[in-house]
Amino acid sequence: MANKDELIGATRNPWWRAAAIVAALALVATFALGGFKPAKDKTKPLAQYSAGQRVQSGAMAVTPVRAWVAHYRPGGRMEPNQLYLVLQADIENLTGRSYSGFGYPRQDLILVSAQREPVQADNLLMADDHGVVADLHPRLIQRVDLIWKLPPAYVYAPRQTFGLFARDYKAKAYLNDEGAWLQGDPLAKLDLPVQDLRDRLVAP
């Protein structure tokens, strides 16, 4: 059995800390997967938002703009045998630091599948120049396109549900006492009409 000094040494090992963080995130994800399923009891249903309505999740504010399905990614070429679902949204970083667009936005703003499970976007691009989203800076609203590559058997739906997770700041989130914004429970549903652009050759 490990003594006290060995346990203290293990907690200072960066590999051990990384493994602990991964395990904690996996646990959170496991609990969150069922969060967008219909409630089986008297739990209060999630708030629902439409295009143009701003919702704050803690680490960011999201205003969905529109959604569409097309044979091309924004800024890309037409791919006749491929379909993409795009959610365009305005995102504002509400924290005091810049963070990666592939962090909170991609992890928290998700597509709700037919099985009511969250599906992360395959890509996240700037809406203006179609460049890959790098850092999102505090208090700067940036319009982005979240892109899902759809399976060949995708059935077009005139409306689509997206989901947003809450994210709360914990002053001592990890074993090294560092603070972090941790993903919480599902916070809201975004219900948007989906524009069918499968017959267009150029992006909207």
Side-chain angles (χ1 to χ4, degrees):
M1 183 175 178
N3 60 35
K4 182 178 179 181
D5 292 337
E6 290 174 333
L7 290 175
I8 292 174
T11 61
R12 292 175 178 169
N13 185 310
W15 292 104
W16 190 93
R17 286 204 309 264
I21 292 170
V22 170
L25 291 175
L27 182 63
V28 171
T30 299
F31 281 107
L33 281 177
F36 289 95
K37 293 180 180 179
K40 296 181 180 179
D41 52 25
K42 296 182 180 180
T43 303
K44 185 178 179 180
L46 296 178
Q48 186 163 301
Y49 294 80
S50 303
Q53 294 184 314
R54 186 175 186 263
V55 53
Q56 294 184 204
S57 67
M60 62 183 181
V62 175
T63 304
V65 177
R66 58 178 174 165
W68 68 86
V69 61
H71 286 293
Y72 45 77
R73 290 169 291 183
R77 296 180 179 178
M78 186 174 184
E79 302 173 50
N81 297 319
Q82 181 57 59
L83 280 174
Y84 296 95
L85 174 66
V86 181
L87 169 63
Q88 190 171 87
D90 290 333
I91 295 180
E92 180 183 358
N93 177 353
L94 299 180
T95 75
R97 296 182 178 180
S98 298
Y99 54 68
S100 170
F102 273 75
Y104 306 157
R106 189 164 170 265
Q107 294 168 9
D108 296 352
L109 185 52
I110 53 86
L111 169 67
V112 179
S113 73
Q115 292 73 38
R116 316 308 293 174
E117 294 181 348
V119 181
Q120 288 187 7
D122 296 296
N123 214 340
L124 183 65
L125 304 179
M126 297 299 298
D128 53 0
D129 62 6
H130 312 302
V132 175
V133 176
D135 289 339
L136 296 174
H137 304 295
R139 306 299 171 177
L140 178 63
I141 298 175
Q142 295 179 264
R143 181 160 292 186
V144 303
D145 291 333
L146 292 100
I147 305 164
W148 287 265
K149 189 174 183 179
L150 299 172
Y154 172 80
V155 178
Y156 169 74
R159 300 193 73 85
Q160 181 64 60
T161 299
F162 301 89
L164 180 64
F165 284 94
R167 193 169 285 268
D168 301 312
Y169 184 78
K170 302 296 181 183
K172 294 183 178 181
Y174 303 124
L175 295 174
N176 60 2
D177 289 341
E178 287 187 358
W181 287 87
L182 301 182
Q183 189 183 72
D185 295 328
L187 175 70
K189 291 181 179 180
L190 313 178
D191 180 64
L192 273 76
V194 178
Q195 190 176 5
D196 187 358
L197 302 183
R198 289 175 293 180
D199 61 340
R200 297 195 185 182
L201 300 181
V202 295

